[in-house]
Amino acid sequence: MCEVETLIIGGGIAGLSLAAQIARHGETIVLEAESAPGYHASGRSVAIAHFGLGERVVRTLTALSLPDLAAPPGDERAPYAVKHPALHIARSEQAHELDALEEVHRAFGCDFARISGEEALTLLPVLRAGPEFCHEAIVDHGALKLDTDAMLQGHLKDLRMAGGNLLTGARVTAIERESGRWAVQSAAGPFRAKRLVNAAGAWADEIADLAGVRKIGIEPRRRTVISFGGPGGVDVSLWPFTKTVGAGFYILPEGNGRLLASPMDEHASTPCDAAPEELDIATIADRVQQATTLPIRRIAHSWAGLRSFAPDELPVIGYPQDTPNFFWFAGQGGYGFQTSPALARIGEALMLDSEWPRDMAAADVHPKLFAPERCQVRISE
Ligand SMILES: Cc1cc2nc3c(=O)[nH]c(=O)nc-3n(C[C@H](O)[C@H](O)[C@H](O)COP(=O)(O)OP(=O)(O)OC[C@H]3O[C@@H](n4cnc5c(N)ncnc54)[C@H](O)[C@@H]3O)c2cc1C
């Protein structure tokens, strides 16, 4: 039986970024069901940080995270990200939505410009000309392309340097409360912990159920991505991450002359090893070919991953009032990487009941926004 201070369930970006932050305060073990960290959502992201998703709180968390993504604190390790422009394209009838997005970019002091459809075409030359495809756009020069593998490995290194560890192939199968401690059965053996952290992504409600804790209503939603060859003889690596305002699609360079695209689908799913469905693959191929001059002759590969949302689409971080030492760290939605530095600091402050970070308070980001009760109450209504 292994006794630890903090046992974290889930070796994705959520579990590992929090583990790296708190391992300095007491022995910390991360249990991951799969044979490697980042097998589920965290291994399936398209790895961009931008201001085109979420509401005020998500965008503020993104802004508070960008400095750490561009230059991670600590040692001399390489940045987790490089600048890569984001182009938000709008049809003529979407001027209001573009106005709102412009306001967001201005509010966060982004290095951006509002440009015409013709100017957008110079950035993404395969865009079809015309207001029905792109009337106007916003180009954000400060968006980031993230190195998600480096992020996971960096956090793992910090965790180990602080004396903690990640155990893979360690699926948690039973959780009980025994003499003021959590008794956890896993494929890697039994553990006892003072504090249990639920960072199980799409499985977060299942873990709550196992522990006898009230669920949140975390909804996993499937998103599909395809990869295909760009036009021969053209360097696509500098093409911007290009996203329609509202429903539609996004497209971005993958590397090796290839492009990635997604229909930005959000199909409710059970927690599972998500796989792409034919209809979603056909939908994205069709949308790309409608809006651009790119022919998609062959799809090199495709994948799907589950983005997990609380009912109000904000992360759930904290101890429920009625369950001591069961800490929620879930509901990272479609922004789990780009907000991870801020979320890990929030997790540390709430878990250890330490001083609330001043930059969060100054940005009007408060603990109650993340409290588990806000969703648990709604579910019982
Ligand atoms: C297609 C796609 C594109 C995305 N693009 C971006 C992007 O550009 N930028 C961005 O910031 N975010 C993006 N995201 C979102 C981001 O990937 C997620 O927010 C993030 O990965 C969530 O991390 P997580 O650790 O909560 O979940 P996960 O990575 O799913 O980790 C949860 C872990 O818990 C483990 N687990 C579950 N049950 C158990 C158990 N019983 N015992 C032990 N372990 C268990 C699972 O095996 C899993 O590894 C994207 C997501 C998808 C799917």
Side-chain angles (χ1 to χ4, degrees), residues 9-15 31-34 36-50 146 170-173 199-203 207 210 221 223-225 250 262 303-308 329-339:
I9 303 175
I13 186 61
L31 300 180
E32 167 53 48
E34 306 292 349
Y39 176 84
H40 289 288
S42 301
R44 305 176 193 206
S45 144
V46 299
I48 293 283
H50 64 94
L146 308 174
R171 182 175 303 279
V172 169
T173 52
W203 290 264
I207 292 297
L210 270 187
R221 299 182 197 158
R223 175 151 293 186
T224 310
V225 180
Y250 63 65
S262 171
W303 72 85
L306 299 179
R307 302 148 85 242
S308 304
F329 200 63
Q332 279 81 351
Y335 43 80
F337 278 100
Q338 69 181 50
T339 58

Side-chain angles (χ1 to χ4, degrees), residues 9-14 31-34 36-44 170-173 175 196-222 269-275 304-310 326-333:
I9 303 175
I13 186 61
L31 300 180
E32 167 53 48
E34 306 292 349
Y39 176 84
H40 289 288
S42 301
R44 305 176 193 206
R171 182 175 303 279
V172 169
T173 52
I175 304 171
L196 190 62
V197 179
N198 183 359
W203 290 264
D205 268 352
E206 287 194 356
I207 292 297
D209 238 3
L210 270 187
V213 172
R214 271 199 300 158
K215 293 192 279 193
I216 294 288
I218 296 284
E219 182 179 73
R221 299 182 197 158
R222 191 180 67 245
S269 168
T270 52
C272 65
D273 191 353
L306 299 179
R307 302 148 85 242
S308 304
F309 292 88
F326 182 93
F327 193 82
W328 283 92
F329 200 63
Q332 279 81 351

Side-chain angles (χ1 to χ4, degrees), residues 20-374:
Q21 200 74 20
I22 58 149
R24 300 171 280 150
H25 304 288
E27 193 176 358
T28 302
I29 297 274
V30 180
L31 300 180
E32 167 53 48
E34 306 292 349
S35 58
Y39 176 84
H40 289 288
S42 301
R44 305 176 193 206
S45 144
V46 299
I48 293 283
H50 64 94
F51 286 96
L53 83 175
E55 296 305 325
R56 179 195 73 86
V57 176
V58 170
R59 287 166 168 159
T60 305
L61 294 169
T62 301
L64 292 170
S65 296
L66 292 182
D68 283 350
L69 292 168
D75 56 26
E76 64 296 335
R77 76 185 56 160
Y80 288 151
V82 290
K83 280 195 178 168
H84 191 94
L87 183 67
H88 302 277
I89 58 174
R91 299 188 303 274
S92 44
E93 73 276 15
Q94 293 177 310
H96 277 95
E97 287 168 71
L98 208 61
D99 290 347
L101 200 55
E102 180 175 353
E103 196 43 52
V104 167
H105 283 78
R106 184 163 295 110
F108 288 110
C110 300
D111 173 14
F112 80 100
R114 187 158 175 165
I115 59 176
S116 66
E118 292 77 45
E119 288 169 297
L121 237 112
T122 64
L123 298 174
L124 188 69
V126 290
L127 258 187
R128 286 193 197 279
E132 67 275 37
F133 301 112
C134 177
H135 178 60
E136 273 190 294
I138 283 172
V139 56
D140 174 6
H141 300 288
L144 298 177
K145 172 74 185 151
L146 308 174
D147 184 339
T148 53
D149 191 49
M151 289 174 73
L152 294 171
Q153 293 306 325
H155 295 315
L156 187 50
K157 182 178 166 200
D158 288 344
L159 169 65
R160 289 188 172 138
M161 275 173 54
N165 206 358
L166 162 76
L167 301 180
T168 53
R171 182 175 303 279
V172 169
T173 52
I175 304 171
E176 278 177 14
R177 198 89 181 121
E178 273 177 10
S179 319
R181 300 244 142 190
W182 291 104
V184 173
Q185 303 297 327
S186 83
F191 292 83
R192 276 168 65 85
K194 176 178 158 199
R195 192 185 287 130
L196 190 62
V197 179
N198 183 359
W203 290 264
D205 268 352
E206 287 194 356
I207 292 297
D209 238 3
L210 270 187
V213 172
R214 271 199 300 158
K215 293 192 279 193
I216 294 288
I218 296 284
E219 182 179 73
R221 299 182 197 158
R222 191 180 67 245
R223 175 151 293 186
T224 310
V225 180
I226 62 167
S227 162
F228 56 98
V234 179
D235 179 9
V236 299
S237 65
L238 295 179
W239 284 3
F241 165 75
T242 302
K243 178 180 179 299
T244 54
V245 166
F249 71 97
Y250 63 65
I251 184 166
L252 67 154
E254 183 187 27
N256 299 329
R258 283 196 189 145
L259 295 161
L260 299 178
S262 171
M264 301 195 284
D265 47 335
E266 298 201 87
H267 306 288
S269 168
T270 52
C272 65
D273 191 353
E277 297 208 348
E278 288 304 322
L279 184 59
D280 296 317
I281 292 176
T283 300
I284 181 53
D286 183 53
R287 288 185 190 173
V288 168
Q289 292 183 117
Q290 297 255 352
T292 73
T293 56
L294 287 166
I296 303 184
R297 295 200 181 87
R298 197 178 74 81
I299 291 169
H301 61 112
S302 59
W303 72 85
L306 299 179
R307 302 148 85 242
S308 304
F309 292 88
D312 62 2
E313 303 199 346
L314 287 183
V316 183
I317 309 177
Y319 299 110
Q321 278 164 7
D322 56 3
T323 317
N325 296 322
F326 182 93
F327 193 82
W328 283 92
F329 200 63
Q332 279 81 351
Y335 43 80
F337 278 100
Q338 69 181 50
T339 58
S340 59
L343 292 183
R345 287 196 291 128
I346 288 173
E348 180 185 29
L350 291 177
M351 182 184 292
L352 304 175
D353 197 20
S354 51
E355 193 192 347
W356 187 245
R358 287 187 190 171
D359 56 343
M360 307 274 173
D364 207 18
V365 171
H366 300 289
K368 65 175 187 316
L369 290 167
F370 309 105
E373 280 74 24
R374 74 188 202 273

